[in-house]
Amino acid sequence: SDALETGKRALKIGALSEQKAISDRIAIHLMRYDYETENGDPAIAIKQLKQAYRLNNYFVPTVTRLATYYINHSKHRKATKIIEQAWAHNPHPDLADLWMMLTPEKQNKKLKWSEKLVALNPDSAESQIAAARAAMDMNLWGEAKAYLTVAEKIHPSARVFRQRAIVEQNSTQNDDAIHNLMEKAANALPDKKWVCRQTGLNYDSWSAIAMPHESFNTIIWDYPGARTLE
């Protein structure tokens, strides 16, 4: 609470930009949510989470936490709605993972469910990859290849080439094609990761505090090596 008040005063006197002040407030609310979820009052936790969501309804760490909360409380429609809203502005593999958890039980609807992400943001490689993953899970290798080909045109990342290699392995079994794709993956553009913008360290997930150096709100979704010292 003291940190939130300090942030408000810093904004008022111009020591923080409005964008940075909001980002820091979100980080504090999420930090409190994580703490209260593990050690404290669930009612306080969800209040903190919803405050963070009101400040930015497509910041991925907030949306994933809130969608997970809704899924765990069998509020699947609410989870679906907030993922859709976030995906339209900020597609992210963590959101795709939650979207797949919400897939209807009927197997024949699985691909159509992922194709909704493509409709929401067709110019995103993440949308194409999500649809390809669903097709691969259903052994629809031709459909998977088609989506990955589009993803490659948008952003030819290592992940796209690795998945294309899997498709070839399970469809044509063309060793030359597989070898070529894996070579492309080795030399491709890197995939984005959670990375500390001060140190360049990579993380599996976002947190308000970047360990072990304990910097506050410095973890962002970016390409490895894209470090910007403040």
Side-chain angles (χ1 to χ4, degrees):
S1 297
D2 289 343
L4 287 172
E5 288 302 317
T6 299
K8 289 178 182 178
R9 291 196 297 271
L11 176 62
K12 188 174 181 179
I13 65 173
L16 283 180
S17 67
E18 184 174 2
Q19 182 179 2
K20 183 67 166 64
I22 291 174
S23 176
D24 286 350
R25 286 174 64 190
I26 292 169
I28 291 169
H29 286 309
L30 294 183
M31 192 175 181
R32 293 185 68 186
Y33 167 77
D34 291 342
Y35 175 82
E36 294 293 346
T37 298
E38 293 293 328
N39 306 290
D41 187 336
I44 295 176
I46 191 59
K47 180 180 178 181
Q48 294 296 323
L49 182 55
K50 289 183 176 181
Q51 285 178 323
Y53 185 75
R54 282 193 289 270
L55 289 168
N56 185 334
N57 61 8
Y58 52 85
F59 182 54
V60 171
T62 304
V63 178
T64 55
R65 283 163 170 76
L66 186 55
T68 300
Y69 172 85
Y70 284 145
I71 292 170
N72 291 340
H73 288 79
S74 300
K75 298 179 179 180
H76 291 186
R77 287 186 179 180
K78 286 188 174 183
T80 298
K81 182 178 179 180
I82 66 170
I83 293 172
E84 287 177 334
Q85 290 174 340
W87 193 270
H89 292 88
N90 192 17
H92 191 281
D94 290 351
L95 296 177
D97 289 342
L98 289 172
W99 185 258
M100 295 301 290
M101 290 176 62
L102 294 163
T103 303
E105 292 184 4
K106 290 185 178 180
Q107 184 70 11
N108 61 355
K109 292 186 177 182
K110 190 169 188 178
L111 182 55
K112 288 184 178 180
W113 183 251
S114 291
E115 287 173 339
K116 287 186 177 183
L117 298 181
V118 178
L120 286 166
N121 203 324
D123 295 328
S124 166
E126 291 296 340
S127 297
Q128 306 296 331
I129 291 170
R133 283 176 54 193
M136 291 165 69
D137 288 345
M138 299 174 67
N139 296 327
L140 300 174
W141 305 112
E143 287 85 343
K145 183 176 181 178
Y147 281 116
L148 290 172
T149 299
V150 177
E152 180 185 345
K153 292 178 180 177
I154 297 171
H155 184 73
S157 68
R159 181 160 52 117
V160 169
F161 289 121
R162 286 194 298 267
Q163 291 193 343
R164 281 199 57 193
I166 294 171
V167 170
E168 291 295 332
Q169 177 66 46
N170 286 276
S171 55
T172 67
Q173 297 183 350
N174 185 322
D175 290 340
D176 289 339
I178 295 168
H179 179 73
N180 182 51
L181 288 166
M182 292 307 295
E183 279 192 345
K184 286 184 176 181
N187 298 298
L189 296 170
D191 296 304
K192 283 187 175 182
K193 298 179 180 295
W194 291 112
V195 57
C196 176
R197 63 173 178 260
Q198 288 188 351
T199 65
L201 291 175
N202 297 333
Y203 298 86
D204 291 333
S205 60
W206 180 91
S207 64
I209 304 297
M211 299 301 288
H213 51 289
E214 298 185 340
S215 62
F216 170 69
N217 196 22
T218 59
I219 297 178
I220 58 174
W221 185 248
D222 206 346
Y223 296 104
R227 191 173 78 174
T228 56
L229 293 174
E230 292 185 336

